[in-house]
Amino acid sequence: MAIMETLWVIEPWHWLVLGFILLIIEMFVPTFASLWFGAAAIIVAALTWLLPISISVQIMVWLVLSAVFLVVWFKFVKPLSVDRTKAGLGGSVIVGETGMIVVQPLPDRAGVVRFSVPIVGAAEWMCRTTGETIAVGERVVVTDIVGNELVVSSMKSQAVINKNMHVQ
């Protein structure tokens, strides 16, 4: 009987070791799942050092904390870190994006447009116009893609085109 009782004794250091093992696993499996179970185990270790808590309460506290951490992560924190770079998507996602000219496009050479958020993995892209003169610092809209270069037009000309489309 005494052997069975000692098998069910979980010391605070057991929770601490479990917590660190789960944190180490998280380094190799970046899913943010074992991180929260590990953090909950470390908190349970601290609580059991401070308070005499039964094993069943320790396990319940660990499960509740793990569930709370997971819900908070997936419901509130993870949506804030949505990847807006559009990396890995097709080139068509660039059409319609707005950026700013940092190197003026001329008839004989391409310019450079910079986006506030990287688009398809890059913040700056080579660009050309369809004969329109666009100055450095002017806001532009991507209208097409030709090879590795974007075709852009000024926001002003796009506003005129959109206005004409709505009138008809």
Side-chain angles (χ1 to χ4, degrees), residues 44-115:
V44 170
L47 287 175
T48 55
W49 261 311
L50 297 173
L51 305 168
I53 301 174
S54 70
I55 296 164
S56 59
V57 172
Q58 291 175 29
I59 293 171
M60 288 302 295
V61 169
W62 178 66
L63 290 173
V64 168
L65 283 175
S66 297
V68 168
F69 289 159
L70 282 171
V71 167
V72 168
W73 168 254
F74 285 109
K75 184 83 172 164
F76 301 108
V77 179
K78 190 175 180 188
L80 298 176
S81 65
V82 172
D83 183 17
R84 296 181 0 193
T85 65
K86 300 181 183 177
L89 299 176
S92 63
V93 298
I94 301 174
V95 175
E97 291 291 333
T98 59
M100 183 175 62
I101 296 294
V102 293
V103 175
Q104 184 179 20
L106 299 172
D108 59 335
R109 71 172 170 86
V112 176
V113 60
R114 178 180 296 152
F115 299 99

Side-chain angles (χ1 to χ4, degrees), residues 12-160:
W13 68 269
H14 292 121
W15 286 109
L16 194 61
V17 168
L18 174 66
F20 282 117
I21 288 172
L22 290 169
L23 292 179
I24 290 169
I25 289 171
E26 183 61 42
M27 289 191 292
F28 297 104
V29 183
T31 60
F32 286 110
S34 63
L35 174 70
W36 308 120
F37 290 101
I42 292 171
I43 291 172
V44 170
L47 287 175
T48 55
W49 261 311
L50 297 173
L51 305 168
I53 301 174
S54 70
I55 296 164
S56 59
V57 172
Q58 291 175 29
I59 293 171
M60 288 302 295
V61 169
W62 178 66
L63 290 173
V64 168
L65 283 175
S66 297
V68 168
F69 289 159
L70 282 171
V71 167
V72 168
W73 168 254
F74 285 109
K75 184 83 172 164
F76 301 108
V77 179
K78 190 175 180 188
L80 298 176
S81 65
V82 172
D83 183 17
R84 296 181 0 193
T85 65
K86 300 181 183 177
L89 299 176
S92 63
V93 298
I94 301 174
V95 175
E97 291 291 333
T98 59
M100 183 175 62
I101 296 294
V102 293
V103 175
Q104 184 179 20
L106 299 172
D108 59 335
R109 71 172 170 86
V112 176
V113 60
R114 178 180 296 152
F115 299 99
S116 58
V117 174
I119 309 265
V120 192
E124 292 185 352
W125 286 79
M126 301 297 286
C127 67
R128 293 197 181 268
T129 65
T130 55
E132 183 180 3
T133 303
I134 299 177
V136 172
E138 197 170 336
R139 306 277 300 157
V140 294
V141 177
V142 177
T143 58
D144 198 7
I145 304 167
V146 177
N148 287 336
E149 294 178 345
L150 306 178
V151 178
V152 297
S153 65
S154 70
M155 294 285 284
K156 297 172 195 167
S157 66
Q158 278 301 113
V160 170

